[in-house]
């Protein structure tokens, strides 16, 4: 889920390509908007700001219907007979979310003859076949920056949970046990440890800032260097060679988008070269790593702890090996869907819909595909 900075030439390319085959902005008349979100069920009424759900549908139903548009919301997104499939033929806008991803395949795009706009309520649009969307002339956009604070805070929490060996202690308490040695034998201070982030976009930079007070040795790898002032403030050192950086790290945090180039980048071979006992946090995308290689390395102790909220696929099946591997602190995909983040990405989605209806441009940083051109982080 980490967003990256685009160079001036890339931004201009994103704005100027002539390869559109469908209308970028809304044409006149009523539009059909379909949103795919997770269900809140019994939790729906516990918080009026719980908007990123089927029950509240980003809080935009009344606004959309007052303008004559049709708004369909569902959580049913899998298989040929699902609710989403029933609406593909005549929808104009599809709103999806990384937390309950509706996989927008090339096949689905072909079926959606009226589709003009794909919006991601949140950050990270890799559940969409972006090449197929670009070839079809669709606009793909997300609410850039909407949950970067939420994810960076969550990453810091997971680092501390792993470093301090928190979960065995928690399990002892709920199981009626008391064994200090069972926790303390692999609990450490964060101070003085080497932490490397693979990716230093919006989330990675926020994480570096939040780690600064812990007096760690901070490293980062990215396509380009961060601002020199931020480097000085955090003391973070740029590592151009990823394979040179990774073995130096006591803790590795993945903060890059999922592309064909980054898919499976942390594989068995790379894992074998990491420090024994390395701790890994991954709130970016599950498919960035080799699932079985991570499970095997956790079982052998080569990975001392693995924590994250992203899986592949999502939702994770009951037999997913990460559910049962030792020294894991996994959760469902929750880091970027705090109530605060939901309010931000709901507002951002509404703003882009409003601009779409009026034929106005979106904020430049929100575009993932525009007029046949992919944003730099997905190339």
């Amino acid at each position: 889920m980490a967003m990256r900075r685009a160079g001036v030439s890339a931004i201009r390319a994103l704005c100027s390509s002539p390869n559109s085959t469908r209308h970028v902005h809304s044409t006149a008349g009523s539009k059909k908007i379909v949103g795919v979100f997770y269900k809140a069920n019994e939790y729906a009424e516990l918080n009026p700001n719980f908007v990123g759900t089927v029950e509240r549908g980003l809080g935009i139903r009344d606004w959309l219907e007052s303008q004559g548009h049709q708004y369909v919301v569902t959580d049913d997104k899998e298989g040929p007979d699902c609710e989403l499939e029933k609406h593909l033929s005549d929808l104009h806008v599809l709103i999806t979310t990384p937390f309950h991803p509706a996989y927008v395949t090339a096949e689905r795009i072909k079926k959606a003859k009226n589709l003009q706009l794909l919006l991601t309520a949140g950050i990270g649009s890799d559940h969409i076949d972006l090449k197929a969307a670009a070839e079809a002339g669709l606009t793909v956009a997300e609410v850039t920056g909407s949950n970067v604070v939420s994810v960076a805070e969550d990453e810091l929490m997971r680092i501390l949970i792993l470093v301090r060996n928190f979960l065995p202690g928690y399990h002892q308490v709920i199981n009626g046990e008391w064994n200090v040695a069972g926790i303390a034998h692999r609990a450490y201070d964060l101070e003085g440890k080497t932490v490397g982030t693979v990716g230093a976009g919006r989330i990675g930079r926020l994480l570096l800032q939040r780690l600064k007070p812990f007096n760690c040795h901070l490293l980062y790898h990215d396509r380009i260097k961060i601002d020199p002032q931020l480097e000085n403030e955090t003391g973070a050192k740029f590592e151009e060679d990823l394979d040179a950086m990774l073995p130096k790290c006591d803790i590795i945090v993945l903060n890059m988008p999922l592309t064909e180039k980054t898919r499976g980048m942390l594989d068995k071979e790379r894992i074998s070269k990491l420090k024994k006992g390395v701790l890994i946090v991954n709130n970016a995308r599950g498919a960035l790593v080799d699932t079985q290689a991570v499970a095997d390395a956790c079982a052998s102790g080569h990975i001392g702890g693995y924590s994250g909220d992203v899986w592949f696929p999502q939702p994770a099946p009951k037999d997913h090996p990460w559910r049962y591997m030792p020294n894991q602190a996994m959760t469902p995909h929750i880091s970027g869907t705090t109530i605060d983040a939901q309010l931000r990405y709901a507002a951002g989605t509404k703003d882009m819909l409003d601009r779409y209806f009026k034929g106005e441009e979106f904020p430049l940083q929100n575009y993932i595909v525009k007029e046949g051109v992919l944003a730099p982080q997905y190339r």
Side-chain angles (χ1 to χ4, degrees):
M1 17 187 106
M3 295 301 298
R4 316 285 284 273
R5 291 127 9 250
V8 172
S9 60
I11 292 174
R12 287 174 178 164
L14 192 61
C15 294
S16 61
S17 172
N19 297 327
S20 177
T21 59
R22 301 193 194 182
H23 293 291
V24 175
H25 297 298
S26 174
T27 51
S30 174
K31 299 300 174 185
K32 182 173 182 178
I33 297 99
V34 175
V36 182
F37 311 109
Y38 57 84
K39 277 188 175 179
N41 296 314
E42 68 270 27
Y43 305 104
E45 301 305 318
L46 299 182
N47 191 328
N49 292 323
F50 198 5
V51 295
T53 62
V54 167
E55 288 81 354
R56 288 206 169 85
L58 302 181
I60 58 176
R61 178 176 296 280
D62 290 346
W63 172 70
L64 286 172
E65 293 180 349
S66 71
Q67 299 189 53
H69 303 297
Q70 182 184 359
Y71 188 36
V72 177
V73 176
T74 184
D75 74 322
D76 185 16
K77 60 187 178 67
E78 303 292 343
D81 299 320
C82 71
E83 190 69 16
L84 173 59
E85 287 284 335
K86 297 175 185 177
H87 297 283
L88 285 176
S89 63
D90 62 346
L91 60 79
H92 299 91
V93 180
L94 178 59
I95 306 171
T96 58
T97 173
F99 315 106
H100 185 69
Y103 292 101
V104 184
T105 61
E107 182 182 0
R108 281 180 162 173
I109 289 171
K110 287 180 182 178
K111 291 178 182 178
K113 301 298 185 183
N114 294 334
L115 180 61
Q116 298 173 344
L117 176 62
L118 289 160
L119 291 178
T120 298
I123 299 174
S125 298
D126 49 87
H127 57 284
I128 299 168
D129 187 328
L130 297 176
K131 289 184 179 179
E135 289 171 0
L138 298 175
T139 297
V140 182
E142 57 189 39
V143 191
T144 297
S146 59
N147 54 16
V148 293
V149 169
S150 312
V151 176
E153 288 183 356
D154 189 272
E155 288 177 342
L156 179 57
M157 174 190 73
R158 291 176 191 274
I159 290 171
L160 289 167
I161 283 172
L162 293 178
V163 169
R164 301 308 292 265
N165 203 25
F166 174 84
L167 280 179
Y170 171 73
H171 291 148
Q172 284 186 24
V173 169
I174 62 176
N175 292 330
E177 302 168 357
W178 191 280
N179 181 1
V180 174
I183 308 162
H185 76 286
R186 56 189 305 271
Y188 297 89
D189 296 338
L190 180 53
E191 185 174 44
K193 302 300 181 292
T194 298
V195 183
T197 175
V198 185
R202 291 177 175 86
I203 295 171
R205 297 197 301 271
L206 287 173
L207 177 65
L208 291 172
Q209 290 174 312
R210 281 153 177 73
L211 284 168
K212 170 64 175 175
F214 288 89
N215 297 319
C216 305
H217 304 295
L218 300 178
L219 307 176
Y220 74 95
H221 170 80
D222 205 325
R223 294 178 298 122
I224 55 176
K225 298 182 70 173
I226 63 177
D227 182 77
Q229 182 178 348
L230 183 60
E231 269 196 351
N232 292 333
E233 289 175 358
T234 61
K237 179 184 175 185
F238 175 65
E239 295 276 346
E240 185 174 3
D241 186 340
L242 175 62
D243 288 312
M245 182 187 86
L246 292 177
K248 300 176 184 178
C249 297
D250 302 302
I251 302 156
I252 296 168
V253 186
L254 302 184
N255 273 315
M256 82 284 281
L258 177 64
T259 67
E260 288 308 309
K261 183 178 180 180
T262 62
R263 185 179 298 273
M265 54 81 62
L266 196 62
D267 56 14
K268 182 177 180 179
E269 182 180 359
R270 271 202 170 116
I271 290 172
S272 70
K273 297 175 182 178
L274 304 180
K275 283 186 180 181
K276 181 175 175 56
V278 65
L279 306 178
I280 299 174
V281 171
N282 180 10
N283 279 1
R285 287 295 181 265
L288 291 170
V289 306
D290 181 321
T291 296
Q292 193 58 52
V294 167
D296 292 344
C298 282
S300 71
H302 191 76
I303 293 178
Y306 185 92
S307 183
D309 70 334
V310 288
W311 309 65
F312 184 77
Q314 289 188 182
K318 291 184 178 181
D319 62 350
H320 197 292
W322 291 356
R323 291 182 182 270
Y324 310 105
M325 65 187 183
N327 303 322
Q328 57 92 356
M330 296 296 298
T331 68
H333 195 169
I334 49 116
S335 65
T337 188
T338 62
I339 297 299
D340 303 280
Q342 288 178 49
L343 292 172
R344 290 191 292 265
Y345 63 68
T349 302
K350 181 180 179 181
D351 175 70
M352 286 192 288
L353 283 172
D354 189 43
R355 291 169 184 256
Y356 163 73
F357 297 142
K358 295 175 179 177
E360 298 175 355
E361 295 290 318
F362 300 159
L364 181 59
Q365 68 271 17
N366 288 8
Y367 285 109
I368 301 303
V369 176
K370 184 176 188 286
E371 298 180 353
V373 180
L374 274 67
Q377 67 267 28
Y378 285 105
R379 293 178 197 166

